[in-house]
Amino acid sequence: MPMMFKIAPYNTAATQLALNEKVGQLFMPAAFINDTEEEIQGLEKLIGKYHVGGLCFFHSRASAATNFEGKKKIVYNEQSLTTLKNLIRRYQNAAKFPLLISIDAEWGLAMRIENTPQYPYAITLGAIQNKEDLIFKVGRQIAMDCREAGIHWNLAPVVDINNNPNNPVIGYRSFGEDKLNVTKKAKAFIKGTQSVGVLSCIKHFPGHGDTATDSHLGLPIITKSKEALIENELYPFRETIRNGVDSVMVGHLSVPSLDNGEGTPATISKTIITGLLRQELNFNGVVISDALNMHSVSKMFPEKGELEWRAFDAGNDILCFAENTKEGIQKIMGNADPGEIEERFKRVWKLKEQAFATYTLPNTIKEEQSSLNKQLAEESLTLLTGSDKIISDFKREGFNCLSLGEPTNKTFLEAASKIAAKGPKNEDNVLIALYPPKVKPQNNFDLKTEELEQLQHLLKTKKVMLYVFGNPYLLNLIEYKTAKAVVLGYQNFIEFQDNALAHFRGKITAKGTLPVTINLKES
């Protein structure tokens, strides 16, 4: 079980902490599960000396998103969860005041940690129709896994509306392109998270969906009018704030129409944070910056501490992935009004009080990961083109099977091959199970060029039945409309493959709806 801590009420803390300690509470440096002992001791010293308020955990320095271009090898560590728990214990012991521990667990701890429960990506949940109780359960299960590990704060859900199919960084992390669907799903996820005493966070304000630049590496510019943004991108933020959410993460996004044409990154824009988020949208909770190591902003400020000061001055309460804690504290101490520091400290400390409140979990609500994933598979499976009759005729005529990609398991294909072996031989009908190796779109989802060419050739020359176990945006790469039928399974989990097999056999109907638009590739 996670360590139990008591935290002093704000009224007591306000008089006990020195001003520099209060500023330290606003800093949330990164912690890496696969650090060396030397690096661990370095972070322990930082915690002890500068009284940082919390930590945000990542898998390893090699996996940090800004290392994409470094192509550093990510080391697999099947003991990551045990390591994480031990590190949390060590870091908490190094702290004078209990640390607020956060992580990105949008689809479960598996987003950062090997051998932990994984739930479907948001795009898969977005395909589910009118079953918000299931989304609530996903939020709750992930939150319970967080609690068990000693994590207080899940930096999720993403409420960006993904209306740009070329988005390199949001895409599958969004519930889709429809503001009402995104908002309904987000509210249910948040309620599930909060139901077991874990903090939630909506991101990436004011909306990272309609971008074609990865803000880890460059600064996306959004040229829409303020009226258009209020109508669409800002809608899920406004509605989830009204419904109650603990925190908002501000993204590194240049949106000139929201800051008098200046185009300053939102994370360091007082007009966007203090003006739009605080005053216009009436958000009174904690504002956390997106990771300050991201190149879209970090490259703008070579002087150490300047970025941390600018992020504070714009209105962020917590400085996530701050890389210059010492210099940042000095800058804020030298520039900020003490009353402003106190206001930020109060918000952060109140959030910590909430995180460390005694919470008894009912024994009755734990649901098996596999059972929940099975329900999610049944509700999300999407028949994109074709019909059940076409699939039935295809089976009756006989078919061959082909797998493309690199699946960890091929349960769908293996079972379908047995069905094919029992039926008539027909070289013209080909059932293709497509398992894209990566969910991110870079490098064509890591599908080999020859595999895409083979797929295109088969689509032109054969009667193809295509089942996709991955990010549906990969259909942008092919002339999928020439297939006899396209079925989206979304995930390559065994539960999703088993469900797709039941559909292919004609045992069930597809209930899901693709929550995004696919651009038709012209032949």
Side-chain angles (χ1 to χ4, degrees):
M1 289 297 292
M3 301 167 72
M4 300 302 293
F5 293 95
K6 287 208 182 298
I7 189 161
Y10 165 71
N11 290 341
T12 304
T15 58
Q16 287 183 346
L17 273 74
L19 192 64
N20 67 310
E21 292 176 329
K22 290 177 178 178
V23 176
Q25 289 295 300
L26 312 180
F27 282 71
M28 182 172 270
F32 300 95
I33 296 163
N34 292 291
D35 262 355
T36 63
E37 179 59 29
E38 183 182 1
E39 287 163 337
I40 292 166
Q41 289 181 16
L43 185 51
E44 286 176 321
K45 286 176 185 168
L46 184 82
I47 291 165
K49 188 169 184 181
Y50 297 107
H51 310 294
V52 299
L55 298 173
C56 186
F57 269 91
F58 295 83
H59 179 267
S60 63
R61 291 170 192 266
S63 68
T66 48
N67 285 325
F68 277 151
E69 70 271 47
K71 302 205 183 304
K72 297 178 183 177
K73 185 172 174 55
I74 297 171
V75 178
Y76 180 85
N77 176 5
E78 64 179 39
Q79 298 300 320
S80 279
L81 183 58
T82 302
T83 305
L84 169 71
K85 290 178 180 179
N86 290 337
L87 284 176
I88 290 174
R89 192 171 289 109
R90 279 186 67 169
Y91 293 143
Q92 290 287 18
N93 286 336
K96 183 176 178 182
F97 312 104
L99 295 165
L100 190 61
I101 306 295
S102 72
I103 200 166
D104 293 296
E106 294 165 21
W107 55 87
L109 291 178
M111 184 169 170
R112 298 282 184 240
I113 308 163
E114 296 94 337
N115 294 328
T116 53
Q118 181 172 353
Y119 299 93
Y121 301 122
I123 198 169
T124 309
L125 303 180
I128 295 171
Q129 303 297 298
N130 304 317
K131 291 277 183 178
E132 271 63 57
D133 58 312
L134 287 178
I135 316 302
F136 174 94
K137 286 182 181 179
V138 173
R140 184 177 68 187
Q141 289 302 119
I142 293 172
M144 288 173 72
D145 293 337
C146 286
R147 282 186 66 94
E148 186 63 31
I151 295 163
H152 313 105
W153 193 5
N154 184 7
L155 301 178
V158 169
V159 299
D160 301 322
I161 296 169
N162 202 82
N163 43 15
N164 186 334
N166 298 316
N167 196 315
V169 67
I170 303 300
Y172 67 99
R173 298 167 61 194
S174 162
F175 293 115
E177 66 186 17
D178 177 74
K179 66 181 182 183
L180 300 177
N181 186 34
V182 169
T183 303
K184 278 197 303 184
K185 298 291 194 300
K187 284 180 179 178
F189 188 99
I190 290 164
K191 281 184 178 174
T193 303
Q194 294 174 336
S195 73
V196 291
V198 170
L199 304 172
S200 57
C201 179
I202 52 174
K203 59 189 186 185
H204 306 81
F205 187 82
H208 205 321
D210 194 5
T211 62
T213 301
D214 182 348
S215 57
H216 294 93
L217 308 175
L219 182 65
I221 300 173
I222 297 169
T223 56
K224 291 181 175 178
S225 69
K226 183 173 182 178
E227 291 72 26
L229 293 168
I230 287 171
E231 176 67 23
N232 203 47
E233 277 82 354
L234 287 167
Y235 181 88
F237 289 98
R238 185 174 71 242
E239 293 306 310
T240 47
I241 286 168
R242 282 178 180 167
N243 207 50
V245 68
D246 302 304
S247 60
V248 174
M249 179 181 285
V250 181
H252 305 309
L253 304 160
S254 172
V255 195
S257 67
L258 297 183
D259 71 344
N260 307 316
E262 291 180 18
T264 305
T267 25
I268 53 172
S269 168
K270 193 177 287 191
T271 309
I272 289 176
I273 299 176
T274 305
L276 177 61
L277 181 56
R278 290 281 185 217
Q279 294 167 5
E280 290 186 51
L281 299 186
N282 297 313
F283 180 63
N284 299 313
V286 164
V287 176
I288 177 173
S289 73
D290 206 345
L292 294 180
N293 74 317
M294 289 162 65
H295 291 174
S296 48
V297 290
S298 62
K299 286 181 172 178
M300 295 171 64
F301 298 97
E303 184 186 344
K304 288 186 175 183
E306 183 65 21
L307 173 57
E308 285 79 2
W309 155 245
R310 288 288 301 275
F312 171 90
D313 189 46
N316 291 284
D317 300 307
I318 290 182
L319 309 177
C320 184
F321 213 136
E323 294 191 297
N324 304 298
T325 299
K326 173 188 172 184
E327 297 84 358
I329 290 173
Q330 288 172 346
K331 284 267 187 190
I332 292 170
M333 292 281 290
N335 293 332
D337 177 87
E340 187 62 36
I341 292 173
E342 187 63 39
E343 186 182 323
R344 308 296 178 82
F345 167 70
K346 181 177 182 179
R347 271 199 289 267
V348 172
W349 198 266
K350 290 280 189 183
L351 190 73
K352 293 178 89 162
E353 283 186 63
Q354 194 179 329
F356 289 100
T358 305
Y359 207 92
T360 306
L361 289 177
N363 293 323
T364 53
I365 61 172
K366 187 74 176 171
E367 183 157 7
E368 283 298 316
Q369 172 198 358
S370 183
S371 168
L372 181 52
N373 277 339
K374 185 172 182 292
Q375 296 172 65
L376 296 165
E378 290 169 358
E379 296 297 332
S380 61
L381 187 79
T382 302
L383 179 61
L384 184 63
T385 67
S387 66
D388 290 340
K389 184 180 184 306
I390 288 172
I391 296 172
S392 177
D393 292 345
F394 179 91
K395 281 185 304 189
R396 192 180 63 253
E397 293 164 5
F399 58 95
N400 288 335
C401 291
L402 174 68
S403 164
L404 295 175
E406 298 171 9
T408 47
N409 61 74
K410 297 183 183 180
T411 52
F412 172 83
L413 189 86
E414 288 163 357
S417 297
K418 290 176 183 173
I419 297 171
K422 292 175 184 173
K425 299 289 175 265
N426 185 339
E427 296 295 326
D428 286 331
N429 286 358
V430 184
L431 173 67
I432 299 177
L434 186 55
Y435 300 97
K438 292 282 171 63
V439 69
K440 292 180 179 176
Q442 287 86 356
N443 194 31
N444 291 337
F445 303 89
D446 272 9
L447 281 164
K448 297 184 179 73
T449 303
E450 53 268 32
E451 287 179 319
L452 279 172
E453 289 173 350
Q454 182 184 11
L455 179 55
Q456 288 280 44
H457 176 72
L458 289 170
L459 285 166
K460 284 182 178 177
T461 59
K462 303 286 185 182
K463 294 177 181 176
V464 171
M465 188 74 51
L466 182 62
Y467 277 75
V468 181
F469 299 99
N471 190 335
Y473 274 120
L474 71 84
L475 294 175
N476 282 327
L477 304 176
I478 59 173
E479 292 153 35
Y480 72 91
K481 284 258 180 172
T482 56
K484 288 297 171 188
V486 177
V487 182
L488 302 173
Y490 298 99
Q491 311 285 151
N492 64 9
F493 305 168
I494 288 174
E495 298 89 350
F496 281 73
Q497 293 195 53
D498 287 348
N499 185 66
L501 182 69
H503 176 262
F504 181 65
R505 282 180 161 156
K507 306 282 187 190
I508 62 167
T509 56
K511 300 178 183 177
T513 301
L514 179 64
V516 295
T517 300
I518 302 298
N519 287 348
L520 266 183
K521 184 180 174 68
E522 299 298 330
S523 53

